[in-house]
Amino acid sequence: MTRTFVSGWAGCECLYPRLAASCRMLVPFVRHDEKEIAAALRQGGTTLLGWSTGAHLILKQLPEVLERFERIVLAAPFLSFTRYVPTGRLESMIATMEKDPGRTVDNFMAKCGHCGPLSIGQADHPALLRGLRFLLTSKADLAPGFSGEKITLVHGQRDRIVPVQASSDLHALLPGSTLLLPMSGHKIEEELLLDLTR
């Protein structure tokens, strides 16, 4: 079984260690740019999992990858980040990241619901900044008519990063998709994601 996990943030190995150990891991902006991720997704597999920005990148490639995977799980997905989060809030996060990247990462992880240690090296900070700037303008355009039968959307009801409405809107655009709303934050429990990708 080939499982691919497109992460949303550096440090996903700490957030999701069992998934990182059992999946082909694609880390946007840190290890792979958008073109490299698109090329990797075109290789297909059995299960495709994306979390946050990773789920957004999958949505941008959905017409290309929908038939290449047996099952697709999108955790905390969004078509456009700034459709659900005020641009000013994102710009403020970028400004803070430029001045104090360590504090920005710590604040983000706390809002995600992560309480443990996280190893993000200083070398990753420029990549994280590129990722934040990417979110200012990136959009996934889904034309009507896509079947969502093989797609599961998972969104924490207590998500403080991306409002649940982002997944509700996607659910409406993808007829046949499944929408799960666990009582979690932006970071979905790893055990649930493991169950959905087995």
Side-chain angles (χ1 to χ4, degrees):
M1 177 172 74
T2 306
R3 294 192 299 186
T4 300
F5 180 17
V6 188
S7 73
W9 193 258
C12 267
E13 292 87 346
C14 295
L15 294 175
Y16 296 112
R18 292 165 65 194
L19 282 164
S22 62
C23 297
R24 175 177 60 161
M25 190 88 163
L26 303 174
V27 184
F29 312 108
V30 176
R31 292 188 207 153
H32 310 91
D33 64 26
E34 189 173 4
K35 287 182 181 177
E36 289 170 330
I37 289 172
L41 295 183
R42 285 195 293 271
Q43 295 172 17
T46 52
T47 304
L48 176 58
L49 167 64
W51 172 59
S52 192
T53 299
H56 171 69
L57 287 166
I58 291 169
L59 285 167
K60 290 183 80 169
Q61 299 299 320
L62 196 62
E64 293 287 329
V65 303
L66 191 59
E67 299 307 320
R68 297 175 193 262
F69 288 88
E70 296 173 15
R71 177 175 37 194
I72 299 173
V73 178
L74 303 175
F78 51 87
L79 289 169
S80 165
F81 192 75
T82 54
R83 180 176 174 182
Y84 300 97
V85 177
T87 302
R89 189 184 305 170
L90 181 55
E91 288 172 338
S92 175
M93 190 175 180
I94 290 168
T96 306
M97 186 75 184
E98 290 172 333
K99 294 175 187 173
D100 191 349
R103 182 166 66 94
T104 306
V105 170
D106 289 345
N107 288 343
F108 177 82
M109 286 301 143
K111 283 185 180 176
C112 279
H114 179 69
C115 302
L118 187 73
S119 59
I120 294 181
Q122 289 186 350
D124 291 339
H125 291 163
L128 295 175
L129 195 52
R130 284 195 300 276
L132 290 174
R133 289 178 177 142
F134 167 82
L135 293 177
L136 280 171
T137 57
S138 182
K139 291 183 173 121
D141 294 315
L142 284 188
F146 283 107
S147 169
E149 289 182 5
K150 61 170 71 171
I151 298 174
T152 299
L153 308 168
V154 189
H155 211 119
Q157 293 186 44
R158 297 175 178 149
D159 194 326
R160 296 171 60 199
I161 306 294
V162 179
V164 176
Q165 189 63 45
S167 281
S168 298
D169 290 347
L170 266 172
H171 184 48
L173 277 173
L174 295 166
S177 62
T178 300
L179 176 60
L180 303 176
L181 301 173
M183 293 300 288
S184 68
H186 190 61
K187 178 193 169 195
I188 308 295
E189 294 302 320
E190 185 173 38
E191 193 60 44
L192 174 57
L193 295 181
L194 282 165
D195 285 345
L196 291 171
T197 55
R198 282 191 177 110

